[in-house]
Amino acid sequence: MIEPLAVYFEHCESGWHVPEAVANNHILILVTSGGMTYTVNSEATRMKKGDMMYVPQGVIRSAYNGADQPHEMYVVHFRYIGEGEGLPLLQDTIPRFIKLHQFEYIKQRFSLLTQHWLRKHLYTGTFCHSILLEMLAIVNEETDSSMNLDKSYSIVSQLQNHITTHYRSAIPMEELAELVGRTPNYISRIFKESTNQTITEYVQQIRITAACDLLANSQMNVGEVSEFLGFCEQSYFNKVFKKLTGTLPSTYMKEKMKVWE
């Protein structure tokens, strides 16, 4: 089981630093703006917007940004007890650094993870485990050279990048097929095989993750969020939102207000 110990979004002013020390827990970091230098076992890596790093427990780490270089990042510290969940990174002590192909999607997932962590509801542990497991799987997949050589993986990554950039608009299957030079039937099949989701389900997941972020952190009401995310009718938005989150967007918004109060 993946158990988060701390989940937060941090704005780090110029001169921020983390002294050299042993990492007591596993850490996952996503830089959302600016840049910093993160050192693990004496190997320094420059991280900027769109970069993510997995830092395994037990390594020696330190970090800093420049005198005039503030940055922002999502961070989760967690412990893991289990047999690896099928992910090599949970069984070894090798740090993993990636330049994300799916930055907007991962940013949304981190935002949702933070919201569940703050809520402390009955199923917080389950939601946090599943979101973290998904993000760690993406890290493992994108750092696995054998996967990067696979043609289907490359095509699915292109499709995901296009969807995460244009998810607010209708994306015809023909447009996606033309993007990668394949037929609609082909991309539908390999997308399902690679992600265990249909393309429609993937689009809906990204839209609803964005909706959760907007409902919790903006002044937009439910109707405005529905329209902003490209849903043709608010009733359909409500239906998809409840299917993926288990609650209506209006109820979700009220619960978020209670949390922040």
Side-chain angles (χ1 to χ4, degrees):
M1 185 71 177
I2 302 173
E3 180 187 357
L5 302 174
V7 183
Y8 55 91
F9 178 79
E10 185 174 10
H11 174 79
C12 303
E13 298 291 349
S14 301
W16 167 92
H17 76 284
V18 175
E20 185 174 270
V22 175
N24 294 323
N25 309 294
H26 302 295
I27 308 169
L28 192 62
I29 303 162
L30 172 67
V31 177
T32 58
S33 70
M36 67 166 174
T37 299
Y38 207 98
T39 301
V40 180
N41 291 339
S42 301
E43 183 175 342
T45 301
R46 183 65 185 169
M47 297 182 66
K48 56 185 179 179
K49 179 180 177 180
D51 292 344
M52 187 155 70
M53 180 175 283
Y54 165 69
V55 181
Q57 180 180 354
V59 301
I60 299 174
R61 53 113 185 189
S62 63
Y64 68 91
N65 61 19
D68 57 349
Q69 296 178 320
H71 72 280
E72 294 181 330
M73 61 183 177
Y74 279 104
V75 182
V76 54
H77 292 250
F78 66 96
R79 68 167 61 100
Y80 172 71
I81 300 174
E83 298 181 357
E85 308 291 336
L87 300 179
L89 65 75
L90 286 174
Q91 295 179 301
D92 59 37
T93 58
I94 302 172
R96 311 270 180 143
F97 168 77
I98 59 172
K99 293 183 176 296
L100 285 168
H101 294 110
Q102 308 174 50
F103 169 64
E104 290 299 332
Y105 177 67
I106 294 298
K107 180 181 175 182
Q108 291 168 3
R109 300 303 281 164
F110 252 115
S111 175
L112 185 60
L113 175 66
T114 306
Q115 292 164 34
H116 281 299
W117 172 255
L118 289 171
R119 284 179 68 190
K120 294 293 191 293
H121 56 86
L122 180 61
Y123 302 109
T124 289
T126 303
F127 276 115
C128 289
H129 170 86
S130 62
I131 295 171
L132 260 172
L133 182 61
E134 178 192 11
M135 291 197 293
L136 290 169
I138 289 172
V139 172
N140 215 146
E141 185 176 49
E142 294 206 15
T143 55
D144 187 333
S145 58
S146 63
M147 284 298 298
N148 288 335
L149 294 174
D150 185 82
K151 187 175 293 186
S152 296
Y153 174 82
S154 176
I155 290 173
V156 170
S157 291
Q158 282 183 264
L159 296 174
Q160 290 175 322
N161 291 341
H162 187 79
I163 291 168
T164 54
T165 303
H166 302 92
Y167 65 89
R168 288 177 52 200
S169 306
I171 308 176
M173 195 68 69
E174 293 74 15
E175 176 183 326
L176 292 172
E178 184 178 353
L179 175 71
V180 296
R182 298 292 191 275
T183 66
N185 285 341
Y186 177 83
I187 65 170
S188 296
R189 177 175 61 79
I190 66 164
F191 197 94
K192 176 70 173 178
E193 289 174 353
S194 298
T195 68
N196 203 33
Q197 287 180 301
T198 66
I199 290 175
T200 298
E201 289 170 342
Y202 184 74
V203 173
Q204 288 181 345
Q205 183 181 34
I206 291 177
R207 284 181 168 180
I208 297 306
T209 301
C212 290
D213 190 30
L214 291 169
L215 290 170
N217 301 307
S218 77
Q219 300 301 313
M220 298 170 70
N221 60 37
V222 173
E224 290 169 336
V225 170
S226 173
E227 183 177 357
F228 180 78
L229 294 176
F231 285 90
C232 54
E233 296 180 358
Q234 185 176 326
S235 59
Y236 180 59
F237 170 61
N238 290 346
K239 179 180 178 180
V240 176
F241 192 97
K242 186 171 183 179
K243 176 184 175 183
L244 295 184
T245 68
T247 188
L248 289 170
S250 56
T251 304
Y252 182 87
M253 178 180 281
K254 290 176 182 177
E255 289 181 354
K256 290 300 142 201
M257 291 177 65
K258 290 178 182 178
V259 168
W260 292 116
E261 289 172 358

